[in-house]
Amino acid sequence: MSKNSEFLCYIPNDVKAGHRGDSAVENHNSLDTLTSHARALEAHGWKGALIGTGWGRPDTFTVAASLAARTTTFEPLIAIRPGYWRPANFASAAATLDHLTDGRVRINIVSGKDNLPAYGDSEGDQAHRYARTKEFMRLVRRLWTEENVTSAGENFRVAESTVVPRIQVRGDRRHPKFYFGGASEAAERVAATEADVQLFWGEPLEGVRERIARLKALSRELDRDLPPLEFGLRITTLVRDTTERAWTDAEAKVAEMARNKGTGWHDHQRALAVGQQRLLDLHERGDVLDDNLYTAPGKFGGGGAGTTWLVGSAEDVARSLRKYQDLGITHFVLSDTPYLSEIKRQGDQLLPLLRG
């Protein structure tokens, strides 16, 4: 795999124990427990981790800042929502954390539906939602790279705004990267012009190939004025010592999901979201697609990255991930449960094969 590929994991950030089959232990979401995950990521070859967001979960930015303070190389991919944050407030907070961590901040912009009234937000239809997201991303990037910014958009206004501390340019990194998801036409138009990295869920290779081609064409059509869009994959990777053991464990997990109706798994299952619906529909084509893309979890409540799994030995899963890399994927956000033991197992067994 390309030496330019980056490998992140996932930190659940949930007040409820047992997230997606994780060990339901006491103090599962304490700072000490989450720090143990972040330090294990550092020790076992990972770049950092995505930290999830959503009303009813601990504030993601606070968790990320706390973990960054207790680590030295761990890079949090901080999921945030326009509307929960205003652009200047967010630009300042992120610039401060980036300064304090020597450039370890990454941002995942989330535009999916949430419990907006609970935190005083409101938004219109899909077109308005993504127009607001586009304006948010463009304005935050300006605040990071320009001084005395004045902007009067449809949703946000600032006048003579200079964020301090200033983002330090580090090689070709001018500011924290914006990761972005979404498969609707509106979402793809935002990604094509504003995102740094487009994240895909675990679709079959052909679907990812088509979406990369479409996003590249959109970037040209919409006159993208940023560096070329990069691409990432967010997926569950179930790795065991042998292929047989992996499939035995995967089928046992799905059987348990079926028994408890997906309890603890479907926190991201939003059937109305285009990308999620694409994943949920995959099992109609078969329980296993490509070589080892397991779609059965989607029948029983798996949502988001838990909808499809790459299953097999470390060699099997590495072989499949290389095929995504051949399509142009350079950012990988992988995970399985129990999170802590899988951080170690996959860091030791899978990542060396991907870097070889």
Side-chain angles (χ1 to χ4, degrees), residues 16 25 37 44 85 92 94 99 112 120 145 159 167 176 242 274 288 296 311 313 336:
K16 301 180 294 295
V25 298
H37 288 212
H44 294 270
W85 289 89
S92 176
H99 167 71
T145 58
I167 296 284
T242 66
V274 173
V288 182
V311 177
S313 66
D336 191 22

Side-chain angles (χ1 to χ4, degrees), residues 152-222:
E154 292 293 321
N155 302 282
F156 306 111
R157 293 171 177 259
V158 297
E160 296 297 312
S161 182
T162 299
V163 166
V164 292
R166 303 302 296 159
I167 296 284
Q168 180 179 337
V169 176
R170 302 169 188 274
D172 60 0
R173 181 190 186 268
R174 297 180 62 212
H175 55 74
K177 284 186 176 179
F178 280 141
Y179 292 65
F180 188 72
S184 67
E185 180 182 355
E188 289 190 338
R189 292 179 74 86
V190 173
T193 57
E194 306 302 327
D196 297 304
V197 180
Q198 166 74 36
L199 280 178
F200 302 120
W201 297 123
E203 294 189 43
L205 292 161
E206 186 56 37
V208 172
R209 179 184 291 109
E210 291 173 356
R211 292 195 61 199
I212 288 176
R214 186 163 63 249
L215 283 161
K216 287 182 175 180
L218 262 178
S219 294
R220 293 189 295 268
E221 176 187 328
L222 299 175

Side-chain angles (χ1 to χ4, degrees), residues 25 35 59 71 118 132 135 165 220 234 248 252 271 306 310 319 334:
V25 298
T35 299
D59 177 73
T71 53
R132 184 174 75 161
E135 187 179 328
R220 293 189 295 268
R234 169 73 185 106
T248 297
L310 286 176
R319 189 180 309 115
L334 315 175

Side-chain angles (χ1 to χ4, degrees), residues 57-107:
R57 300 171 82 167
D59 177 73
T60 310
F61 202 94
T62 304
V63 172
S66 299
L67 295 180
R70 286 190 165 200
T71 53
T72 55
T73 63
F74 168 77
E75 298 190 13
L77 175 52
I78 309 168
I80 67 103
R81 292 177 180 274
Y84 182 93
W85 289 89
R86 294 189 64 80
N89 302 122
F90 175 73
S92 176
T96 300
L97 185 58
D98 200 65
H99 167 71
L100 294 174
T101 61
D102 293 326
R104 288 191 273 145
V105 171
R106 300 164 184 246
I107 304 300

